[in-house]
Amino acid sequence: RKEVEQDPGPFNVPEGATVAFNCTYSNSASQSFFWYRQDCRKEPKLLMSVYSSGNEDGRFTAQLNRASQYISLLIRDSKLSDSATYLCVVNQAGTALIFGKGTTLSVSS
Amino acid sequence: DTAVSQTPKYLVTQMGNDKSIKCEQNLGHDTMYWYKQDSKKFLKIMFSYNNKELIINETVPNRFSPKSPDKAHLNLHINSLELGDSAVYFCASSPGQGARELFFGEGSRLTVL
């Protein structure tokens, strides 16, 4: 079983749509959780951290369920510029960040 | 001013050759990493150094040898290149171990023919 699993997509949505991505992680000792964004042929960049209480950053909402080992990202009012691959990322003590394979989002006009 | 810079950006070479990729960060970070992103886009940790000391060494063939001359530099040397080594290699840095955010370089796209 992979350490971090995501639905690869692609998710094809119109502008203005709400889209949700899910992620599961296998190691219950995981301590920190993040979403990174990677544009085509570019490097990954931190989008947001994920906190147990859930957190929001503008149109983006992240949720964490430690009991189910499940992380989600909700994007409201999608923009063309949201088109990218979204990487679910987990940190365990003593290791580097562990990346999921990513979910590809394509927003069209 | 590029925070994490890698050279070369593109590298095309023949099987069996030896090649190096260089990485430098000007963020004053203590920890640096090499990640490999294969054709399936899976980003996997290879090595991590903290203040020039190797702290993470994942299951990577010993044809891959990282070197950190100082905490601002982390180079990757690959011997006897194989077709399966074709990938994008990303260097990254963070303020310390267990950091919340990695700062990535633009990647070095290696193609082995």
Side-chain angles (χ1 to χ4, degrees):
Chain A
R1 186 181 168 190
K2 290 195 174 55
E3 294 191 75
V4 180
E5 295 212 54
Q6 298 180 245
D7 180 347
F11 283 60
N12 298 306
V13 303
E15 273 186 292
T18 296
V19 62
F21 306 139
N22 303 320
C23 165
T24 56
Y25 59 95
S26 60
N27 191 330
S28 58
S30 299
Q31 298 177 335
S32 307
F33 310 90
F34 314 92
W35 285 100
Y36 272 66
R37 170 187 169 137
Q38 187 172 22
D39 292 322
C40 189
R41 300 180 78 86
K42 297 283 189 183
E43 71 275 21
K45 291 184 180 176
L46 177 66
L47 178 67
M48 61 195 298
S49 299
V50 186
Y51 302 113
S52 296
S53 52
N55 50 296
E56 197 171 298
D57 183 0
R59 297 180 293 108
F60 298 81
T61 301
Q63 299 272 1
L64 167 65
N65 184 323
R66 285 187 185 268
S68 305
Q69 296 178 203
Y70 171 92
I71 305 162
S72 65
L73 177 68
L74 183 78
I75 305 176
R76 289 183 301 279
D77 189 22
S78 299
K79 313 286 184 199
L80 293 175
S81 58
D82 293 335
S83 297
T85 296
Y86 292 83
L87 304 166
C88 179
V89 184
V90 166
N91 194 5
Q92 301 156 14
T95 71
L97 296 186
I98 299 168
F99 287 76
K101 279 195 177 182
T103 298
T104 300
L105 172 66
S106 177
V107 182
S108 54
S109 56
Chain B
D1 244 5
T2 306
V4 181
S5 57
Q6 300 178 223
T7 54
K9 213 169 167 182
Y10 299 95
L11 192 50
V12 180
T13 189
Q14 301 283 338
M15 272 175 56
N17 284 351
D18 303 339
K19 291 293 176 188
S20 291
I21 308 171
K22 296 188 176 185
C23 178
E24 175 181 1
Q25 54 96 2
N26 62 7
L27 296 168
H29 288 167
D30 285 339
T31 311
M32 295 185 73
Y33 310 81
W34 278 112
Y35 277 83
K36 176 181 178 181
Q37 189 168 44
D38 60 25
S39 57
K40 295 181 180 174
K41 307 298 182 192
F42 185 36
L43 195 64
K44 192 168 165 53
I45 180 69
M46 300 174 70
F47 302 104
S48 176
Y49 273 73
N50 188 63
N51 247 323
K52 303 193 297 175
E53 185 183 335
L54 181 67
I55 53 170
I56 293 174
N57 183 350
E58 290 295 314
T59 313
V60 176
N62 57 15
R63 299 182 295 104
F64 290 78
S65 49
K67 276 198 174 56
S68 182
D70 57 61
K71 73 174 195 176
H73 295 84
L74 180 61
N75 304 323
L76 183 65
H77 187 75
I78 316 170
N79 288 327
S80 304
L81 279 156
E82 300 177 357
L83 293 176
D85 297 333
S86 296
V88 181
Y89 292 84
F90 284 101
C91 176
S93 73
S94 65
Q97 300 176 59
R100 307 183 76 79
E101 181 173 7
L102 298 188
F103 294 80
F104 283 87
E106 292 183 324
S108 296
R109 186 174 294 273
L110 171 66
T111 302
V112 182
L113 304 174

